[in-house]
């Protein structure tokens, strides 16, 4: 057990959650690699929610509140780190939650469904009765007809660029959470939250609660004023390692 006094407590605690999820069969083997990639970016971003990420979170909350049918996607890393927070956000939105895996196996789908139900999910889509989505070059090329397939706004954390692109081309608003602002996912999304998912999901829920009751016009204004490409450009500037070591 890591002491809370350890200087890297939060990062080490997340690693423990990732390893535990892998040992339980929830996390894909390469989920470890993805987590490590994320940690590196989080280091560069200062392991805190940046101003551009705050703007993206607010825009995401506005889009989710305006949605006719919001759906939240859950993969292995998301199930390992923020299952309860995803269920809480889905409940806050009266939205649906859907499992979608790149390294899909029946066992992992079942385990992740159990995790989500244990956290209070009444309904978990993506388990069966799936529709194929053309154009996605991966096992992610499926969606539940009653979920992502018919959603108008989807939150797809820690995912892949080709699925993000196809979902966008089908007319959906695609919100991602991805610590790598250079990933295809970040570059293809409508709203790219460049933040650690453990910070981003609770922050989206808080922003939804703060904006609930806003006039439709106000929510639409937040979206109109949000420029994802400009926000990513600002984020990429923050990755300049010299921010931390001026003598470099
Ligand atoms: N805890 C986390 N919070 C937010 N992002 C994370 C976290 N852990 C990993 N990531 C990021 O999630 C992404 C998941 O890996 P994935 O392989 O799907 O992306 P990728 O290889 O960049 O693919 P693409 O370019 O298609 O988006 C990586 O970019 C990684 O940096
Ligand atoms: C590991 C993961 C980030 C998620 O994999 P899964 O839980 O199977 O959707 C995958 O997209 C990858 O980059 O390899
Ligand atoms: N997530 C695995 C494939 C990709 O990085 O797009």
């Amino acid at each position: 057990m890591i002491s809370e006094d350890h200087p890297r407590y939060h990062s080490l605690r997340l690693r423990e959650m990732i390893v535990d999820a892998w040992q339980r069969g929830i996390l894909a083997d390469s989920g470890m690699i993805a987590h490590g990639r994320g940690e590196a970016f989080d280091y560069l971003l200062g392991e805190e929610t940046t101003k551009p990420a705050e703007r993206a979170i607010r825009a995401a909350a506005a889009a989710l509140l305006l949605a006719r049918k919001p759906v939240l996607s859950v993969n292995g890393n998301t199930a390992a780190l923020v299952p309860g927070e995803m269920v809480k956000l889905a409940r806050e939105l009266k939205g649906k939650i859907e499992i979608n895996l790149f390294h899909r196996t029946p066992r992992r789908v079942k385990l992740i469904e159990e995790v989500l139900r244990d956290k209070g999910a009444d309904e978990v889509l993506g388990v069966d009765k799936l529709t194929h989505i053309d154009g996605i070059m991966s096992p992610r090329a499926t969606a539940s007809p009653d979920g992502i397939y018919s959603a108008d706004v989807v939150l797809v954390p820690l995912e892949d660029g080709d699925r993000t692109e196809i979902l966008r081309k089908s007319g959906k608003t695609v919100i991602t959470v991805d610590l790598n602002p250079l990933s295809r996912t970040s570059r293809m999304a409508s709203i790219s939250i460049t933040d650690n998912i453990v910070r981003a999901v609770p922050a989206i829920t808080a922003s939804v609660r703060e904006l609930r009751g806003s006039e439709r016009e106000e929510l639409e204004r937040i979206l109109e004023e949000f420029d994802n490409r400009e926000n990513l450009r600002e984020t990429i500037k923050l990755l300049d390692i010299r921010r931390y070591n001026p003598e470099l």
Side-chain angles (χ1 to χ4, degrees):
M1 193 61 192
I2 298 155
S3 160
E4 289 192 25
D5 299 328
H6 190 289
R8 298 290 307 151
Y9 171 74
H10 290 289
S11 170
L12 292 172
R13 180 77 191 97
L14 295 185
R15 289 184 208 172
E16 278 187 334
M17 292 164 72
I18 285 288
V19 170
D20 175 64
W22 179 75
Q23 288 169 338
R24 290 164 59 195
I26 293 161
L27 191 86
D29 295 350
S30 53
M32 298 262 199
I33 302 169
H35 185 77
R37 277 213 301 290
E39 269 202 358
F41 282 105
D42 210 6
Y43 248 100
L44 291 171
L45 290 166
E47 295 180 315
E48 61 183 11
T49 299
T50 64
K51 286 291 176 217
E54 286 174 1
R55 282 195 291 271
I57 286 165
R58 187 169 170 81
L64 289 164
L65 281 168
L66 285 168
R68 166 185 51 78
K69 184 173 184 177
V71 178
L72 313 183
S73 188
V74 174
N75 69 7
N77 290 61
T78 304
L81 295 172
V82 286
E85 292 79 357
M86 287 293 276
V87 171
K88 198 180 296 181
L89 178 55
R91 191 178 298 134
E92 186 68 34
L93 293 164
K94 298 184 177 55
K96 294 186 181 287
I97 204 160
E98 180 168 335
I99 296 170
N100 182 275
L101 303 179
F102 187 85
H103 308 279
R104 189 180 180 98
T105 68
R107 178 170 182 266
R108 287 189 66 218
V109 171
K110 183 174 181 335
L111 286 169
I112 292 171
E113 180 187 13
E114 285 170 4
V115 166
L116 293 168
R117 289 188 183 283
D118 287 349
K119 293 295 182 182
D122 301 322
E123 179 186 35
V124 179
L125 301 175
V127 177
D128 49 23
K129 305 187 190 76
L130 299 174
T131 299
H132 179 76
I133 303 179
D134 291 332
I136 296 179
M137 293 73 84
S138 83
R140 286 199 194 285
T142 61
S144 166
D146 191 29
I148 288 175
Y149 199 81
S150 55
D152 57 337
V153 179
V154 293
L155 172 64
V156 288
L158 287 63
E159 276 212 18
D160 313 334
D162 42 292
R163 186 160 96 121
T164 302
E165 186 175 6
I166 291 295
L167 292 174
R168 285 285 313 269
K169 282 181 177 170
S170 67
K172 300 179 194 301
T173 297
V174 181
I175 302 164
T176 66
V177 177
D178 188 333
L179 274 161
N180 177 2
L182 303 170
S183 72
R184 294 177 304 147
T185 303
S186 295
R187 284 182 281 121
M188 293 287 176
S190 315
I191 300 171
S192 307
I193 300 170
T194 308
D195 199 6
N196 196 313
I197 194 170
V198 299
R199 296 188 297 265
V201 177
I204 296 169
T205 301
S207 191
V208 165
R209 288 175 177 161
E210 181 218 334
L211 290 173
R212 185 175 298 291
S214 302
E215 293 296 325
R216 186 175 188 83
E217 292 70 27
E218 170 60 12
L219 298 175
E220 288 169 345
R221 183 189 62 75
I222 291 169
L223 280 180
E224 278 156 24
E225 287 179 359
F226 179 73
D227 180 333
N228 200 49
R229 294 185 70 79
E230 179 51 38
N231 221 45
L232 281 173
R233 277 194 288 271
E234 269 196 56
T235 303
I236 288 162
K237 285 180 198 158
L238 295 177
L239 291 176
D240 181 346
I241 198 164
R242 288 167 298 178
R243 271 189 345 129
Y244 305 96
N245 301 282
E247 67 276 9
L248 275 185

